[in-house]
Amino acid sequence: MDLRSLRYFVAVAQERHIGRAARRLHMTQPPLSRAIRELEDELGVTLFERTSKGVTLTAAGTVMYEESVALLERADLLRTRVSAAAGAAALTIGTLADTAELVAGTLVARFRERHPSVEVSIREADLADPTAGLRAGLVDVALTRTPFEDNGIGVRILRRIPVGVVLREDDPLAGRESVSAADLTGRRWVRLPDNADPVWAAYWTGGSPEGSAPIVRTIQECLQAVLWNTTCALAPADQPLPAGLVVVPFRDRPPSHLVVAHAKSTPGPLVRSFVQLAVDSFR
C-alpha cells in the first residue's frame, strides 16, 4: 500500500464514480479500476459496492476513507515542513517550442501535486540547440526531440513520432501518401544555424542546403519559410501547422522521439522526480 494508491482510493470515494475520479486524476479509467482492485486484494476486503450508477463505500471502505484522508493530510504536512526546512526549491525546464505543450496537461498537474512549493521556470531554446539549454547548463531537465549528440546526457523516450516534409497545400506533392528524397531532388531546403548540433542538423535538413537557403532559428520561422518561399522543411508528423501547409510522410527518415533529457552526472531528486513523472504520463 502506497500514498498513490490511497490518493486513487480517496478520489473514487469522493467522486463515487470511477470515470469521474479518473478525469480528476488525469488518467484513464482501466488503470484506476485496476489500482482499486489491487488495493482491495491487498487488504482482503471489499471497499466499494459497484452499481450501474457508480460506487458506494462499504463499511470497511468508510473506515478506509477516514483513515486515508487523515494519513494523506499528514503526508502533505510532512512534505510542506520538509520543503520549508530545505529552503526554496526551483527547477528550470528547457523546451523546444511545442514540446512542453505535448506533456503539460498531465505532467503539470502531477508535478504540482507532488511538489507544490517548487518554483518552475521554462526556457525555450531555438533550433540550434536540441538539448534546450541542457548541455550549456542553463536548465535542469529538457523536453525535446531526437536525434542529437547525447554524450553525457541521459534520455528517456516518451513517444515515437514519424517525420514528414512540410509543403504548401498547392504543391504538386502535397496530395501524396508519402514522399522520398528522390521526389524532392532540386528543391531548396531551409538551413539551421551554423552552430547547430551536427547530428540534429543532419537529420532535420534535406541533404546539403544551398548557401542561399534561409537560415531558420525557430519552428515558426521554419514553417513561414515554406509558406512564403516554397522552401522544403522536415517536421514531426504531429507538428501544428498554419493554414496553407501540410505534412507529407517522409520515407527516408526513421522516426524522431519525444524525450525527457537530463545530465547523466548525479541528477538531483527534483530532476529524477520530473523524469519519472514524464515517463509515467506516457505509459
Side-chain angles (χ1 to χ4, degrees), residues 2-3 27 43 46 65 72 77 155 164 194 206 209 211 218 225 229 250 253 265 270 277:
D2 57 25
L3 292 180
M27 62 189 299
L43 294 171
T46 299
Y65 174 73
L72 290 173
L77 177 60
V155 172
D194 292 339
T218 69
N229 301 312
F250 190 47
R253 285 291 187 279
S265 57
L270 273 181
L277 286 170

Side-chain angles (χ1 to χ4, degrees), residues 2 5 25 32 35 78 90 99 104 124 131 143 146 148 151 166 168 186 189 193 197-198 203 209 218 267 272-273:
D2 57 25
S5 298
L25 294 166
L32 179 57
L78 183 151
T99 50
E124 185 176 311
T131 71
L143 292 166
T146 62
F148 53 82
N151 286 340
V166 182
R168 287 172 52 99
W189 290 80
D197 179 296
Y203 179 90
T218 69
R272 293 196 301 269
S273 178

Side-chain angles (χ1 to χ4, degrees), residues 188-207:
R188 190 170 71 145
W189 290 80
V190 297
R191 287 192 296 158
L192 295 180
D194 292 339
N195 63 335
D197 179 296
V199 176
W200 171 263
Y203 179 90
W204 289 105
T205 55

